[in-house]
């Protein structure tokens, strides 16, 4: 497996995990009282901002130093930041997700990522 294929597979798994976690967060936020929606969205943004700042700093450092592989870092840092932000915002909600929820989300991530990667490789 080439390094590019490994980076692509990892990024795909991170995108799938971020999407599943954000969907779970959206369902939990929809169940909150109407007055708590802004607080939940603000909490989500509060977790996303540090990850996106790291992404911008990586791009700037890559441009200043002249790293040719900064695109690979971006391909991993962006979905990882989204997954981290959604995961932490979901964890901050009352009650936090249980261990079986996390394990089922990880299992669904692996299954969907494998299906996506397989489908993209067949074409």
């Amino acid at each position: 497996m080439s390094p590019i294929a490994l980076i692509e597979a990892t990024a795909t798994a991170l995108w799938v995990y971020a999407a599943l976690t954000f969907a779970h967060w959206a369902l939990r936020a929809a169940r909150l009282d109407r007055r708590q929606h802004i607080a939940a969205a603000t909490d989500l943004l509060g977790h996303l901002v540090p990850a996106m700042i790291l992404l911008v700093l990586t791009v700037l450092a890559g441009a200043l130093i002249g790293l040719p592989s900064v695109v690979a870092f971006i391909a991993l840092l962006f979905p990882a930041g989204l997954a981290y932000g959604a995961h932490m915002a979901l964890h901050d909600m009352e009650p936090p997700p249980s261990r079986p929820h996390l394990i089922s989300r990880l299992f669904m991530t692996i299954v969907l990522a494998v299906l996506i990667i397989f489908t993209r490789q067949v074409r």
Side-chain angles (χ1 to χ4, degrees):
M1 179 179 261
S2 70
I4 298 290
L6 184 63
I7 290 170
E8 184 179 351
T10 305
T12 301
L14 287 169
W15 275 112
V16 170
Y17 183 79
L20 291 175
T21 305
F22 182 74
H24 190 189
W25 176 87
L27 287 173
R28 295 283 294 271
R31 290 186 201 146
L32 294 173
D33 292 336
R34 188 173 174 96
R35 62 186 170 88
Q36 293 177 332
H37 288 178
I38 293 175
T42 304
D43 184 50
L44 176 65
L45 288 175
H47 289 295
L48 289 176
V49 167
M52 295 307 122
I53 289 173
L54 176 65
L55 178 69
V56 169
L57 290 176
T58 303
V59 170
L60 288 174
L64 290 174
I65 298 172
L67 293 175
S69 62
V70 74
V71 175
F73 291 125
I74 294 169
L76 292 175
L77 282 178
F78 189 73
L82 291 176
Y84 170 79
H87 178 82
M88 294 308 292
L90 183 62
H91 188 71
D92 286 349
M93 287 186 161
E94 293 291 334
S98 63
R99 191 175 204 59
H101 282 119
L102 294 175
I103 292 172
S104 66
R105 193 176 328 125
L106 285 174
F107 178 73
M108 287 174 46
T109 298
I110 292 168
V111 169
L112 288 173
V114 166
L115 286 173
I116 291 169
I117 291 167
F118 180 73
T119 303
R120 290 177 68 184
Q121 295 299 321
V122 169
R123 288 188 207 180

